[in-house]
């Protein structure tokens, strides 16, 4: 098939930006799946608040996935969110099988968020010159995920 969407970026800018966007799509899908798995399996004293906070994280990850995928499409790069691609390429730390204590869930989410944020920051750097528009999108995503990272950490902190 011929390329149906022509990019306004030059080929090298498109390659750099496309790789960053495809990676972000995979990581964000993975994050949403990790959070959903945790949502279904959390138990403990703080079940309800953790359960609801996981829904908030899933919603954010799914919205950001769509934004990154649509940006890829806009620059002529086909996003790949297939299960096999996510399983092979995602950078998240995953989530264990079975019931999980609320504090363990919080720790797992904090660690997974930190990993995804770290990879987003690498993509922010990579797209600085190649495509500042995509860089802005990554900055927006990182800012929100960092806010959620803080909120998740705060659930374990004792003053």
């Amino acid at each position: 098939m011929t390329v149906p969407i022509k990019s306004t970026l030059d080929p090298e800018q498109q390659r750099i930006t496309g790789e960053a966007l495809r990676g972000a799509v995979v990581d964000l899908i993975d994050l949403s799946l990790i959070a959903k798995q945790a949502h279904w399996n959390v138990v403990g004293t703080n079940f309800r608040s953790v359960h609801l906070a996981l829904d908030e994280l899933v919603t954010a990850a799914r919205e950001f996935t769509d934004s990154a995928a649509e940006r890829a499409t806009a620059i002529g790069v086909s996003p790949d969110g297939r299960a096999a691609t996510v399983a092979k390429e995602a950078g998240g730390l995953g989530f264990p099988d079975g019931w999980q204590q609320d504090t363990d869930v919080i720790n797992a989410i904090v660690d997974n968020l930190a990993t995804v944020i770290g990879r987003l920051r690498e993509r922010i750097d990579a797209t600085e010159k190649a495509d500042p528009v995509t860089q802005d999108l990554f900055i927006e995503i990182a800012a929100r995920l960092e806010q959620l990272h803080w909120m998740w950490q705060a659930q374990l902190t004792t003053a």
Side-chain angles (χ1 to χ4, degrees), residues 101-131:
Q101 189 63 39
D102 51 7
T103 53
D104 294 334
V105 168
I106 293 168
N107 283 315
I109 294 300
V110 166
D111 292 345
N112 274 285
L113 279 167
T115 299
V116 171
I117 292 164
R119 289 169 60 96
L120 269 171
R121 287 189 164 276
E122 291 171 5
R123 293 176 179 119
I124 289 167
D125 290 343
T127 56
E128 179 180 12
K129 288 191 174 29
D131 184 24

Side-chain angles (χ1 to χ4, degrees), residues 34-58 95 100-110 148 151-156:
I34 288 166
K36 205 55 165 167
Q37 181 68 19
H39 172 84
W40 294 323
N41 287 286
V42 63
V43 295
T45 306
N46 295 310
F47 161 80
R48 182 154 175 77
S49 63
V50 172
H51 186 78
L52 294 174
L54 287 162
D55 271 339
E56 178 183 13
L57 177 56
V58 168
F95 192 81
Q100 300 296 316
Q101 189 63 39
D102 51 7
T103 53
D104 294 334
V105 168
I106 293 168
N107 283 315
I109 294 300
V110 166
L148 290 169
M151 291 178 175
W152 278 92
Q153 288 179 82
Q155 293 183 71
L156 294 177

Side-chain angles (χ1 to χ4, degrees), residues 9 12-24 72 75-79 127 130-131 134 138:
L9 302 177
E12 183 62 8
Q13 292 171 320
Q14 184 188 35
R15 182 192 65 75
I16 292 166
T17 305
E19 286 177 9
L21 285 162
R22 286 175 64 116
I75 64 162
V77 174
S78 173
T127 56
D131 184 24
T134 297
F138 288 153

